[in-house]
Amino acid sequence: MTFGEQPAYLRVASDLREKIANGSLPPHTRLPSQARIREEYGVSDTVALEARKVLMAEGLVEGRSGSGTYVRERPVPRRIARSGYRPGAGASPFRQEQTADGMRGTWESRSEQEGASPEIAERLGIEARDRVMRTRYIFREAGEPMMLSTSWEPLAVTGRTPVMLPEEGPLGGCGVVERMAAIDVVVDNMVEQVGARPGLAEELLALGGVPGHVVMVIGRTYYASGRAVETADVVVPADRYRIAYHLPVR
């Protein structure tokens, strides 16, 4: 095989990736061995190894101890709907956002106080080490982990109020807008920034991913008259889900 200016290992990885995409190497098929790749493509062991590493980093193949490297089953991405729509009070934001797709979700959460890190303090417009309530969530759909979220609320806003703990009390689980309204804080704006990065080890462990998998990260902040009252990071596996926004046209 003749290679152009692109590094040989990328050319080999590209050809193998195409075979996976077109079904020549279907899911659960063993990837050609390093020796086979070397012979078929006329490359060195180092090139063959690097090509396999590329496919593994992309999540296309997985190693099985003592057995070899196999093509992974590629899930059909499902949608996670996000919008500004809010039905009647009492419904959780997670359930609101999945209703349009007929999904039924459950979640677990844990809240604790901490001092705000410099990054979170900047997002909330407070001083570093100011007290915040941090709440961590893991969301499941049909029992499968689908999304992680960590939110921070300044205790200068919610401290010593009935909504200090997001998932407890009469408004537990009702969402930021409804909870803040209960303490006369009117949320009038929300900003989300979407990015992607390799998942952290603990995130992938919780979400059922493998090292190297990419996650989408939604950085969300709610505002009331220009003051940030909650900020959160939502983490979603990029290979299993797509973020779909439904935004009103004003």
Side-chain angles (χ1 to χ4, degrees), residues 56-75:
M56 191 167 291
E58 293 174 351
L60 296 174
V61 301
E62 61 183 355
R64 298 179 186 175
S65 180
S67 179
T69 303
Y70 291 79
V71 177
R72 294 184 65 243
E73 184 80 47
R74 298 292 290 170

PDB file of all heavy atoms in Angstrom, residues 56-75:
ATOM      1  N   MET A  56      -8.425   2.409  19.417  1.00  0.00           N
ATOM      2  CA  MET A  56      -8.845   2.195  20.797  1.00  0.00           C
ATOM      3  C   MET A  56      -9.200   3.525  21.450  1.00  0.00           C
ATOM      4  O   MET A  56     -10.205   3.632  22.175  1.00  0.00           O
ATOM      5  CB  MET A  56      -7.742   1.483  21.580  1.00  0.00           C
ATOM      6  CG  MET A  56      -8.172   0.987  22.949  1.00  0.00           C
ATOM      7  SD  MET A  56      -6.985  -0.165  23.692  1.00  0.00           S
ATOM      8  CE  MET A  56      -7.183  -1.595  22.610  1.00  0.00           C
ATOM      9  N   ALA A  57      -8.397   4.563  21.189  1.00  0.00           N
ATOM     10  CA  ALA A  57      -8.673   5.886  21.752  1.00  0.00           C
ATOM     11  C   ALA A  57      -9.994   6.439  21.222  1.00  0.00           C
ATOM     12  O   ALA A  57     -10.686   7.189  21.916  1.00  0.00           O
ATOM     13  CB  ALA A  57      -7.530   6.841  21.431  1.00  0.00           C
ATOM     14  N   GLU A  58     -10.353   6.088  19.997  1.00  0.00           N
ATOM     15  CA  GLU A  58     -11.611   6.549  19.405  1.00  0.00           C
ATOM     16  C   GLU A  58     -12.809   5.736  19.878  1.00  0.00           C
ATOM     17  O   GLU A  58     -13.943   6.035  19.528  1.00  0.00           O
ATOM     18  CB  GLU A  58     -11.521   6.484  17.876  1.00  0.00           C
ATOM     19  CG  GLU A  58     -10.531   7.473  17.290  1.00  0.00           C
ATOM     20  CD  GLU A  58     -10.353   7.302  15.792  1.00  0.00           C
ATOM     21  OE1 GLU A  58     -10.867   6.309  15.229  1.00  0.00           O
ATOM     22  OE2 GLU A  58      -9.717   8.168  15.168  1.00  0.00           O
ATOM     23  N   GLY A  59     -12.553   4.693  20.664  1.00  0.00           N
ATOM     24  CA  GLY A  59     -13.633   3.873  21.176  1.00  0.00           C
ATOM     25  C   GLY A  59     -14.210   2.891  20.183  1.00  0.00           C
ATOM     26  O   GLY A  59     -15.276   2.313  20.402  1.00  0.00           O
ATOM     27  N   LEU A  60     -13.498   2.673  19.069  1.00  0.00           N
ATOM     28  CA  LEU A  60     -13.987   1.758  18.042  1.00  0.00           C
ATOM     29  C   LEU A  60     -13.667   0.305  18.364  1.00  0.00           C
ATOM     30  O   LEU A  60     -14.362  -0.609  17.909  1.00  0.00           O
ATOM     31  CB  LEU A  60     -13.398   2.119  16.677  1.00  0.00           C
ATOM     32  CG  LEU A  60     -13.798   3.491  16.121  1.00  0.00           C
ATOM     33  CD1 LEU A  60     -13.038   3.784  14.845  1.00  0.00           C
ATOM     34  CD2 LEU A  60     -15.292   3.530  15.873  1.00  0.00           C
ATOM     35  N   VAL A  61     -12.596   0.083  19.118  1.00  0.00           N
ATOM     36  CA  VAL A  61     -12.203  -1.279  19.476  1.00  0.00           C
ATOM     37  C   VAL A  61     -11.903  -1.315  20.968  1.00  0.00           C
ATOM     38  O   VAL A  61     -11.695  -0.281  21.601  1.00  0.00           O
ATOM     39  CB  VAL A  61     -10.967  -1.754  18.674  1.00  0.00           C
ATOM     40  CG1 VAL A  61     -11.247  -1.725  17.176  1.00  0.00           C
ATOM     41  CG2 VAL A  61      -9.743  -0.893  18.997  1.00  0.00           C
ATOM     42  N   GLU A  62     -11.888  -2.524  21.522  1.00  0.00           N
ATOM     43  CA  GLU A  62     -11.583  -2.685  22.934  1.00  0.00           C
ATOM     44  C   GLU A  62     -10.718  -3.924  23.131  1.00  0.00           C
ATOM     45  O   GLU A  62     -10.849  -4.912  22.397  1.00  0.00           O
ATOM     46  CB  GLU A  62     -12.864  -2.819  23.747  1.00  0.00           C
ATOM     47  CG  GLU A  62     -13.714  -4.017  23.374  1.00  0.00           C
ATOM     48  CD  GLU A  62     -15.021  -4.073  24.146  1.00  0.00           C
ATOM     49  OE1 GLU A  62     -15.214  -3.230  25.035  1.00  0.00           O
ATOM     50  OE2 GLU A  62     -15.850  -4.958  23.849  1.00  0.00           O
ATOM     51  N   GLY A  63      -9.811  -3.838  24.072  1.00  0.00           N
ATOM     52  CA  GLY A  63      -8.960  -4.967  24.380  1.00  0.00           C
ATOM     53  C   GLY A  63      -9.627  -5.910  25.364  1.00  0.00           C
ATOM     54  O   GLY A  63     -10.305  -5.459  26.289  1.00  0.00           O
ATOM     55  N   ARG A  64      -9.464  -7.195  25.136  1.00  0.00           N
ATOM     56  CA  ARG A  64      -9.978  -8.209  26.050  1.00  0.00           C
ATOM     57  C   ARG A  64      -8.797  -9.017  26.547  1.00  0.00           C
ATOM     58  O   ARG A  64      -8.049  -9.595  25.752  1.00  0.00           O
ATOM     59  CB  ARG A  64     -10.995  -9.111  25.343  1.00  0.00           C
ATOM     60  CG  ARG A  64     -12.218  -8.362  24.849  1.00  0.00           C
ATOM     61  CD  ARG A  64     -13.200  -9.276  24.138  1.00  0.00           C
ATOM     62  NE  ARG A  64     -14.303  -8.537  23.549  1.00  0.00           N
ATOM     63  CZ  ARG A  64     -15.246  -9.068  22.788  1.00  0.00           C
ATOM     64  NH1 ARG A  64     -15.211 -10.393  22.531  1.00  0.00           N
ATOM     65  NH2 ARG A  64     -16.204  -8.329  22.277  1.00  0.00           N
ATOM     66  N   SER A  65      -8.632  -9.027  27.859  1.00  0.00           N
ATOM     67  CA  SER A  65      -7.470  -9.646  28.466  1.00  0.00           C
ATOM     68  C   SER A  65      -7.282 -11.083  27.997  1.00  0.00           C
ATOM     69  O   SER A  65      -8.201 -11.906  28.071  1.00  0.00           O
ATOM     70  CB  SER A  65      -7.608  -9.605  29.994  1.00  0.00           C
ATOM     71  OG  SER A  65      -6.494 -10.194  30.614  1.00  0.00           O
ATOM     72  N   GLY A  66      -6.092 -11.348  27.462  1.00  0.00           N
ATOM     73  CA  GLY A  66      -5.731 -12.691  27.041  1.00  0.00           C
ATOM     74  C   GLY A  66      -6.395 -13.157  25.769  1.00  0.00           C
ATOM     75  O   GLY A  66      -6.234 -14.313  25.364  1.00  0.00           O
ATOM     76  N   SER A  67      -7.140 -12.260  25.094  1.00  0.00           N
ATOM     77  CA  SER A  67      -7.888 -12.678  23.910  1.00  0.00           C
ATOM     78  C   SER A  67      -7.555 -11.855  22.678  1.00  0.00           C
ATOM     79  O   SER A  67      -7.573 -12.367  21.563  1.00  0.00           O
ATOM     80  CB  SER A  67      -9.391 -12.607  24.186  1.00  0.00           C
ATOM     81  OG  SER A  67     -10.135 -12.992  23.059  1.00  0.00           O
ATOM     82  N   GLY A  68      -7.284 -10.573  22.859  1.00  0.00           N
ATOM     83  CA  GLY A  68      -6.977  -9.733  21.709  1.00  0.00           C
ATOM     84  C   GLY A  68      -7.794  -8.457  21.718  1.00  0.00           C
ATOM     85  O   GLY A  68      -8.359  -8.072  22.745  1.00  0.00           O
ATOM     86  N   THR A  69      -7.887  -7.826  20.559  1.00  0.00           N
ATOM     87  CA  THR A  69      -8.605  -6.568  20.414  1.00  0.00           C
ATOM     88  C   THR A  69      -9.793  -6.789  19.485  1.00  0.00           C
ATOM     89  O   THR A  69      -9.639  -7.364  18.402  1.00  0.00           O
ATOM     90  CB  THR A  69      -7.682  -5.476  19.835  1.00  0.00           C
ATOM     91  OG1 THR A  69      -6.528  -5.341  20.685  1.00  0.00           O
ATOM     92  CG2 THR A  69      -8.395  -4.141  19.755  1.00  0.00           C
ATOM     93  N   TYR A  70     -10.973  -6.328  19.914  1.00  0.00           N
ATOM     94  CA  TYR A  70     -12.204  -6.607  19.181  1.00  0.00           C
ATOM     95  C   TYR A  70     -12.947  -5.309  18.843  1.00  0.00           C
ATOM     96  O   TYR A  70     -12.866  -4.313  19.576  1.00  0.00           O
ATOM     97  CB  TYR A  70     -13.121  -7.501  19.999  1.00  0.00           C
ATOM     98  CG  TYR A  70     -12.594  -8.907  20.150  1.00  0.00           C
ATOM     99  CD1 TYR A  70     -11.597  -9.204  21.083  1.00  0.00           C
ATOM    100  CD2 TYR A  70     -13.075  -9.944  19.349  1.00  0.00           C
ATOM    101  CE1 TYR A  70     -11.098 -10.491  21.220  1.00  0.00           C
ATOM    102  CE2 TYR A  70     -12.582 -11.238  19.479  1.00  0.00           C
ATOM    103  CZ  TYR A  70     -11.598 -11.504  20.410  1.00  0.00           C
ATOM    104  OH  TYR A  70     -11.096 -12.780  20.537  1.00  0.00           O
ATOM    105  N   VAL A  71     -13.690  -5.365  17.735  1.00  0.00           N
ATOM    106  CA  VAL A  71     -14.517  -4.233  17.326  1.00  0.00           C
ATOM    107  C   VAL A  71     -15.678  -4.099  18.304  1.00  0.00           C
ATOM    108  O   VAL A  71     -16.351  -5.087  18.627  1.00  0.00           O
ATOM    109  CB  VAL A  71     -15.061  -4.433  15.898  1.00  0.00           C
ATOM    110  CG1 VAL A  71     -15.989  -3.281  15.503  1.00  0.00           C
ATOM    111  CG2 VAL A  71     -13.908  -4.561  14.911  1.00  0.00           C
ATOM    112  N   ARG A  72     -15.893  -2.875  18.793  1.00  0.00           N
ATOM    113  CA  ARG A  72     -16.961  -2.632  19.748  1.00  0.00           C
ATOM    114  C   ARG A  72     -18.304  -2.478  19.061  1.00  0.00           C
ATOM    115  O   ARG A  72     -18.394  -2.043  17.921  1.00  0.00           O
ATOM    116  CB  ARG A  72     -16.680  -1.360  20.556  1.00  0.00           C
ATOM    117  CG  ARG A  72     -15.477  -1.427  21.470  1.00  0.00           C
ATOM    118  CD  ARG A  72     -15.347  -0.163  22.297  1.00  0.00           C
ATOM    119  NE  ARG A  72     -16.464  -0.005  23.222  1.00  0.00           N
ATOM    120  CZ  ARG A  72     -17.330   0.991  23.181  1.00  0.00           C
ATOM    121  NH1 ARG A  72     -17.238   1.924  22.262  1.00  0.00           N
ATOM    122  NH2 ARG A  72     -18.310   1.071  24.063  1.00  0.00           N
ATOM    123  N   GLU A  73     -19.341  -2.850  19.782  1.00  0.00           N
ATOM    124  CA  GLU A  73     -20.706  -2.589  19.328  1.00  0.00           C
ATOM    125  C   GLU A  73     -20.928  -1.086  19.377  1.00  0.00           C
ATOM    126  O   GLU A  73     -20.673  -0.444  20.393  1.00  0.00           O
ATOM    127  CB  GLU A  73     -21.707  -3.279  20.259  1.00  0.00           C
ATOM    128  CG  GLU A  73     -23.152  -3.144  19.831  1.00  0.00           C
ATOM    129  CD  GLU A  73     -23.520  -4.129  18.739  1.00  0.00           C
ATOM    130  OE1 GLU A  73     -23.195  -5.318  18.867  1.00  0.00           O
ATOM    131  OE2 GLU A  73     -24.132  -3.686  17.758  1.00  0.00           O
ATOM    132  N   ARG A  74     -21.364  -0.511  18.276  1.00  0.00           N
ATOM    133  CA  ARG A  74     -21.578   0.925  18.227  1.00  0.00           C
ATOM    134  C   ARG A  74     -23.026   1.242  18.548  1.00  0.00           C
ATOM    135  O   ARG A  74     -23.938   0.888  17.792  1.00  0.00           O
ATOM    136  CB  ARG A  74     -21.230   1.484  16.841  1.00  0.00           C
ATOM    137  CG  ARG A  74     -19.782   1.291  16.455  1.00  0.00           C
ATOM    138  CD  ARG A  74     -18.852   2.124  17.310  1.00  0.00           C
ATOM    139  NE  ARG A  74     -18.968   3.548  17.016  1.00  0.00           N
ATOM    140  CZ  ARG A  74     -18.405   4.492  17.741  1.00  0.00           C
ATOM    141  NH1 ARG A  74     -17.714   4.179  18.825  1.00  0.00           N
ATOM    142  NH2 ARG A  74     -18.533   5.757  17.402  1.00  0.00           N
ATOM    143  N   PRO A  75     -23.290   1.907  19.674  1.00  0.00           N
ATOM    144  CA  PRO A  75     -24.682   2.209  20.029  1.00  0.00           C
ATOM    145  C   PRO A  75     -25.280   3.241  19.082  1.00  0.00           C
ATOM    146  O   PRO A  75     -24.572   4.089  18.530  1.00  0.00           O
ATOM    147  CB  PRO A  75     -24.556   2.781  21.452  1.00  0.00           C
ATOM    148  CG  PRO A  75     -23.169   3.346  21.501  1.00  0.00           C
ATOM    149  CD  PRO A  75     -22.331   2.434  20.647  1.00  0.00           C
TER     150      PRO A  75
END
